[in-house]
Amino acid sequence: MNVGLLGLGTVGGGTLTVLRRNAAEITRRAGREIRVTMAAVRDLDKAKMYAAPDLKLIDDAYAIVDNPEIDIVVEMIGGESPAKELILRAIENGKHVVTANKALIANHGTEIFAAAQRKGVMVAFEAAVAGGIPIIKAIREGLTANRIEWIAGIINGTTNFILTEMRDKGADFADVLKEAQRLGYAEADPTFDVEGVDAAHKLTIMSAIAFGIPMQFDKAYMEGITKLTGDDVRYAEQLGYRIKLLGITKRTKNGIELRVHPALIPARRLIANVDGAMNAILVKGDAVGVTMYYGAGAGAEPTASSVVADLVDVTRMHTADPHSRVPHLAFQPDTLSDEPILAMDDVRTAYYLRLRAFDKPGVLADVTRILADLDISIDAMVQKEPHEGQELVDIVILTHTCLEKNVNAAMVKIEALSAISEPVARIRLEELAK
Amino acid sequence: MNVGLLGLGTVGGGTLTVLRRNAAEITRRAGREIRVTMAAVRDLDKAKMYAAPDLKLIDDAYAIVDNPEIDIVVEMIGGESPAKELILRAIENGKHVVTANKALIANHGTEIFAAAQRKGVMVAFEAAVAGGIPIIKAIREGLTANRIEWIAGIINGTTNFILTEMRDKGADFADVLKEAQRLGYAEADPTFDVEGVDAAHKLTIMSAIAFGIPMQFDKAYMEGITKLTGDDVRYAEQLGYRIKLLGITKRTKNGIELRVHPALIPARRLIANVDGAMNAILVKGDAVGVTMYYGAGAGAEPTASSVVADLVDVTRMHTADPHSRVPHLAFQPDTLSDEPILAMDDVRTAYYLRLRAFDKPGVLADVTRILADLDISIDAMVQKEPHEGQELVDIVILTHTCLEKNVNAAMVKIEALSAISEPVARIRLEELAK
């Protein structure tokens, strides 16, 4: 099998490095050589470090996707264009595709898989979700016996690094972000990471393969970590919780939840102890119960680990009849389900609410009445000591499971109370068990 | 594909239940129906609960392995005989085999796979290791890019339950074992679990697929948890460690380590926090780094989850040419390596040593001299307060990495000191990082 790489950046370079270093081991496993014969790069000068007699370096990606001698195209350019056009052209030319491009798969996966289906080729994308963790394979093949009930994961290393630092140092978001940027854990423009977009891309992909639904990134709810304060992190800790940015997708009787937001998790849960830039994903199946998958969610060689595993898989399945291959979306294309994605208003979960109030009599009575009127039952309520020299006190409320739209309505009413000094801080709370 | 089940006990019954309950979901994934048409049971009366018009219940297992209409035989009898004979006969008859039998695979896997190879059929055994966790698939397919460096796992639920209780309740082994037996977490004869035999079966299988070596259960080092005391668990905790029964297999320049024994693990490691009857496995690959896989390691439906996943895999790969299938031992049969399994004497790790001594001057000097003479360097040494009303004190020593045979020699010399009142307690210490 001849392989052509599109892009030799972090992931592309890592892929070439791993394929070269472990060539003997990989051949022992795959039973045949995986030969990278071409690589397309933007800057031929920069790519000189990868030069080798058996590798043709070029600056025209179309010369790879149109080359009849190439069997598998590995797309590691990222972004939507020209990655999408190149992949569709490769498929049109009868080539298999391996990609690490989560934005592309989450937004255009359904179209790409349909094209691949028509041509009888494979599109593999293990590296698009959670870097080196073989989570796509686990859900799609390891757990085929199960009706998947929910998936919840820490699937963005940047935000997990920031949240870990906020907890360890008692610092606020903005200060830790600067430190993370200095250390290379966050990009100069961190929007995709800190606003939950990157996590939502990965979650959309997992949701599709868990439930057998089309990719529906446009319906994902996204809330980032930019508004979290050191106070909330500390209060959560005092109540026995950790705050993590979670991607959650869950099958309910009304539809499928698809949401990324910060969440309180009981500190005793294993996943609450996943720190730094690491990723971890919980999958709940009806037969197996909860399983967890942990590892590096990014980085050159961890991501290359998944790209190369896909290359071996595609090489092995190349000769199989297309119907016998593992379906792209885990379920046979003609059996995809049209279960709706739930609007965030219709999601049910528990909540942490933090109110900042002037310490006047009657505030608690007003707040509890508002909550009761909206069917929101209180699990715990704590009035914190006022910050030194301030007349404001923080009131922290944990609710039982209730309807998101009722919590939204309650927040509006609470914020209208004269004793309340600023918007209510609301963080969802996930038990992640049962 | 017509499937015949051998055995309808815990795992067999669970498999049938899951296949029936999730039939629609499984067919949506596999693209074809998986029909269980026959099941062999010892007691037809007991199996009545599983009766159905499309299932033939019989008490002769050979009537299944010899039936030309059966495509896949699922062996869930356990033990070595007649399971081995039945599986070999099924293979001889050209049938694929799925098995949950770890003792059989660890002891006779090499012979069974060779027979399967000759006949061009598949033998799948995901359920033999760590119940519902798809760890075989992860190592064999998910991490193909990697040179695996080591695997370390909590792969026996009974002992992990006992160790968790010992820590939580400060109790000794014997008391907790009784409680575990009462709750059904331990068998009436717990030998295989508490002496590390069950863990060594699973470890042997993982070692073979990680390193591409034949199954060599006879060379596995096994040490159980029966000698652990509440004192050791408590001292470990005070030093920042947890005690777990670990299965460890590691590639070194001299050979492969294959060992099951209790070990101190830094309490901050995620795997140190895997409690109760749960399993977790760390896999270190050179490209991906450390990944971890967590879930239920036993039980009817978790194990059935893996059996059914294997059924779907075998169904999918049925039409592939045998050379393109995933090799049984992860590496192509003609590339298996003859790297030796290291004798335990030649293993290098760190150690916790607990000495019980009469509180006399000069003891510490004698002990430290013995250790220094044998190239054992001390990381920490703590003399504990004497137990109330006793003249004996405990001395706890943590060593840096050193050679097992030197530690054995040191223990003999230390025990010969007149101030030492009883055998040295020795527990290995594993950092589980890098």
Side-chain angles (χ1 to χ4, degrees):
Chain A
M1 304 290 276
N2 292 326
V3 176
L5 307 183
L6 310 185
L8 273 181
T10 305
V11 177
T15 299
L16 199 54
T17 303
V18 169
L19 277 172
R20 286 174 174 175
R21 186 177 67 226
N22 292 347
E25 196 95 338
I26 292 165
T27 306
R28 269 180 75 204
R29 293 187 204 257
R32 68 208 80 189
E33 218 184 325
I34 292 173
R35 270 192 310 265
V36 178
T37 55
M38 296 178 84
V41 295
R42 203 174 300 169
D43 184 340
L44 283 168
D45 248 19
K46 273 198 198 159
K48 268 185 187 159
M49 56 188 290
Y50 294 113
D54 57 349
L55 175 66
K56 190 170 176 188
L57 287 168
I58 51 170
D59 57 7
D60 175 15
Y62 281 94
I64 289 181
V65 299
D66 287 338
N67 187 328
E69 285 176 12
I70 293 291
D71 303 300
I72 308 174
V73 170
V74 184
E75 183 274 307
M76 293 172 294
I77 304 171
E80 298 197 16
S81 185
K84 185 183 171 192
E85 293 77 14
L86 286 163
I87 284 178
L88 288 174
R89 178 98 147 243
I91 290 169
E92 207 46 51
N93 289 334
K95 300 182 196 317
H96 304 296
V97 172
V98 174
T99 176
N101 194 329
K102 49 203 163 251
L104 185 64
I105 296 295
N107 281 293
H108 305 286
T110 310
E111 178 187 350
I112 290 168
F113 300 140
Q117 183 73 15
R118 281 194 302 274
K119 297 294 290 189
V121 298
M122 290 172 271
V123 177
F125 50 96
E126 180 67 79
V129 181
I133 306 172
I135 185 66
I136 299 292
K137 184 171 281 282
I139 301 171
R140 201 162 62 168
E141 304 172 39
L143 303 178
T144 37
N146 293 268
R147 189 171 158 86
I148 305 286
E149 297 176 0
W150 52 262
I151 293 175
I154 296 171
I155 45 179
N156 179 273
T158 303
T159 47
N160 203 48
F161 174 84
I162 291 173
L163 291 173
T164 304
E165 292 286 297
M166 284 176 72
R167 193 186 81 224
D168 289 354
K169 302 190 173 156
D172 277 324
F173 170 76
D175 299 325
V176 177
L177 174 62
K178 271 180 215 138
E179 175 73 0
Q181 286 171 320
R182 204 181 56 79
L183 292 171
Y185 283 110
E187 314 255 354
D189 176 0
T191 313
F192 261 42
D193 291 317
V194 301
E195 297 295 359
V197 182
D198 173 78
H201 284 147
K202 298 166 186 167
L203 183 70
T204 298
I205 298 172
M206 290 195 288
S207 180
I209 62 171
F211 304 126
I213 55 173
M215 298 283 166
Q216 290 167 79
F217 173 70
D218 56 316
K219 297 199 180 129
Y221 174 82
M222 287 174 264
E223 183 181 314
I225 63 167
T226 57
K227 288 176 193 149
L228 290 180
T229 67
D231 284 340
D232 292 321
V233 172
R234 200 164 51 251
Y235 294 161
E237 198 78 11
Q238 289 162 359
L239 290 160
Y241 295 87
R242 300 268 165 84
I243 298 181
K244 295 290 182 187
L245 181 69
L246 286 186
I248 298 174
T249 184
K250 189 185 288 186
R251 178 145 42 186
T252 77
K253 63 180 194 304
N254 300 318
I256 286 163
E257 298 181 3
L258 185 62
R259 49 191 171 101
V260 172
H261 53 70
L264 274 72
I265 312 172
R268 64 185 179 282
R269 297 265 182 279
L270 214 50
I271 196 171
N273 296 283
V274 169
D275 287 332
M278 300 305 281
N279 280 198
I281 298 131
L282 293 174
V283 184
K284 171 79 195 294
D286 68 339
V288 76
V290 172
T291 52
M292 190 177 93
Y293 308 84
Y294 164 91
E301 293 213 359
T303 309
S305 173
S306 287
V307 169
V308 174
D310 274 350
L311 277 172
V312 174
D313 269 2
V314 168
T315 302
R316 280 191 182 132
M317 298 301 282
H318 174 62
T319 54
D321 82 283
H323 187 73
S324 290
R325 294 175 187 152
V326 180
H328 291 112
L329 291 179
F331 294 82
Q332 296 295 328
D334 54 353
T335 70
L336 289 193
S337 139
D338 58 359
E339 282 179 82
I341 304 290
L342 281 182
M344 197 61 201
D345 261 0
D346 298 325
V347 162
R348 300 182 69 86
T349 185
Y351 297 84
Y352 160 104
L353 303 173
R354 194 245 310 144
L355 289 50
R356 195 150 281 176
F358 295 97
D359 195 6
K360 291 183 189 164
V363 180
L364 289 185
D366 290 342
V367 169
T368 50
R369 179 174 316 274
I370 290 170
L371 295 176
D373 286 349
L374 283 156
D375 265 340
I376 299 167
S377 106
I378 295 173
D379 179 35
M381 169 139 64
V382 187
Q383 181 161 333
K384 313 301 290 186
E385 290 300 303
H387 289 266
E388 207 171 321
Q390 296 195 331
E391 53 176 345
L392 294 166
V393 294
D394 283 345
I395 301 163
V396 172
I397 298 168
L398 302 184
T399 77
H400 287 292
T401 299
C402 55
L403 197 60
E404 173 104 355
K405 83 172 115 195
N406 289 3
V407 173
N408 290 337
M411 285 167 63
V412 170
K413 289 192 176 173
I414 289 170
E415 287 164 4
L417 294 174
S418 63
I420 299 295
S421 79
E422 61 179 67
V424 174
R426 179 262 307 277
I427 309 173
R428 296 168 191 87
L429 186 157
E430 302 290 335
E431 282 293 328
L432 298 184
K434 293 293 165 313
Chain B
M1 305 289 277
N2 292 326
V3 176
L5 306 184
L6 310 185
L8 272 181
T10 306
V11 177
T15 299
L16 199 54
T17 304
V18 169
L19 277 172
R20 285 174 176 175
R21 185 177 67 226
N22 292 347
E25 196 96 340
I26 292 166
T27 306
R28 267 180 77 205
R29 293 187 204 259
R32 67 208 79 187
E33 219 183 323
I34 292 173
R35 271 191 310 262
V36 178
T37 56
M38 296 177 86
V41 295
R42 205 175 298 170
D43 184 340
L44 283 168
D45 248 20
K46 272 197 198 160
K48 268 184 186 160
M49 57 187 290
Y50 295 113
D54 56 351
L55 174 66
K56 190 170 175 190
L57 285 168
I58 52 169
D59 57 7
D60 175 15
Y62 282 94
I64 290 180
V65 299
D66 287 338
N67 187 327
E69 284 176 12
I70 293 291
D71 302 299
I72 308 175
V73 169
V74 184
E75 184 275 307
M76 292 172 295
I77 305 172
E80 298 197 15
S81 186
K84 186 183 170 191
E85 293 77 15
L86 286 163
I87 285 178
L88 288 174
R89 177 96 147 244
I91 291 169
E92 206 47 48
N93 289 333
K95 298 180 196 320
H96 304 295
V97 172
V98 174
T99 176
N101 193 330
K102 49 200 162 252
L104 185 64
I105 296 294
N107 281 293
H108 305 286
T110 309
E111 177 187 351
I112 290 169
F113 301 140
Q117 184 73 13
R118 280 194 302 274
K119 298 294 290 188
V121 298
M122 288 171 273
V123 177
F125 51 96
E126 180 67 78
V129 181
I133 308 172
I135 185 67
I136 299 291
K137 186 172 278 287
I139 300 172
R140 202 163 61 170
E141 303 173 41
L143 303 178
T144 37
N146 293 267
R147 188 171 160 86
I148 307 286
E149 296 176 1
W150 52 262
I151 293 175
I154 295 171
I155 46 181
N156 179 272
T158 303
T159 46
N160 203 48
F161 175 84
I162 292 173
L163 291 173
T164 304
E165 292 287 297
M166 284 176 72
R167 192 186 83 223
D168 289 354
K169 300 187 175 160
D172 277 324
F173 170 76
D175 299 326
V176 177
L177 173 62
K178 271 180 216 140
E179 175 73 1
Q181 285 171 322
R182 204 180 57 77
L183 293 170
Y185 284 110
E187 313 257 352
D189 176 0
T191 313
F192 261 42
D193 291 318
V194 301
E195 296 296 357
V197 182
D198 174 79
H201 284 147
K202 299 167 185 163
L203 183 69
T204 298
I205 298 172
M206 289 196 288
S207 181
I209 63 172
F211 304 124
I213 55 174
M215 298 284 167
Q216 291 166 80
F217 173 69
D218 56 318
K219 298 201 179 128
Y221 174 83
M222 287 175 263
E223 182 181 313
I225 64 168
T226 57
K227 287 175 195 150
L228 291 179
T229 68
D231 283 340
D232 292 322
V233 172
R234 200 165 51 252
Y235 294 160
E237 198 79 11
Q238 289 163 359
L239 290 161
Y241 294 87
R242 300 269 165 84
I243 298 181
K244 295 290 183 188
L245 182 69
L246 286 187
I248 299 175
T249 185
K250 187 185 290 185
R251 177 143 43 184
T252 76
K253 64 180 192 304
N254 300 318
I256 287 162
E257 298 181 4
L258 186 61
R259 49 191 170 102
V260 172
H261 53 71
L264 275 72
I265 312 173
R268 64 185 180 280
R269 297 268 181 277
L270 213 51
I271 196 171
N273 296 285
V274 169
D275 287 332
M278 302 304 281
N279 281 198
I281 297 131
L282 294 175
V283 184
K284 171 78 194 297
D286 68 338
V288 75
V290 172
T291 53
M292 190 177 93
Y293 308 85
Y294 163 92
E301 294 213 0
T303 310
S305 173
S306 287
V307 169
V308 173
D310 275 349
L311 278 171
V312 174
D313 269 3
V314 168
T315 302
R316 279 188 183 135
M317 297 303 282
H318 173 62
T319 53
D321 82 282
H323 187 73
S324 290
R325 292 174 188 153
V326 180
H328 291 112
L329 291 178
F331 293 82
Q332 295 296 326
D334 54 353
T335 69
L336 288 194
S337 138
D338 57 0
E339 281 181 82
I341 305 290
L342 279 184
M344 197 62 200
D345 261 0
D346 298 326
V347 162
R348 300 182 70 87
T349 185
Y351 296 84
Y352 161 101
L353 303 173
R354 193 245 310 142
L355 290 49
R356 196 150 280 175
F358 294 99
D359 196 5
K360 289 182 190 163
V363 181
L364 289 185
D366 290 343
V367 168
T368 49
R369 180 173 316 273
I370 290 170
L371 295 176
D373 286 349
L374 283 156
D375 265 341
I376 300 166
S377 105
I378 295 172
D379 180 35
M381 170 140 63
V382 187
Q383 181 162 331
K384 314 300 291 186
E385 290 300 303
H387 289 268
E388 208 171 320
Q390 295 194 332
E391 51 177 344
L392 293 166
V393 294
D394 283 346
I395 300 164
V396 171
I397 298 168
L398 302 184
T399 77
H400 288 293
T401 298
C402 55
L403 198 58
E404 173 103 356
K405 80 173 117 197
N406 289 3
V407 173
N408 289 338
M411 285 167 64
V412 171
K413 289 192 178 177
I414 290 169
E415 286 165 7
L417 294 173
S418 63
I420 299 295
S421 79
E422 60 178 68
V424 175
R426 179 261 307 276
I427 308 173
R428 295 170 190 86
L429 187 158
E430 303 289 336
E431 282 293 329
L432 297 184
K434 291 298 167 309

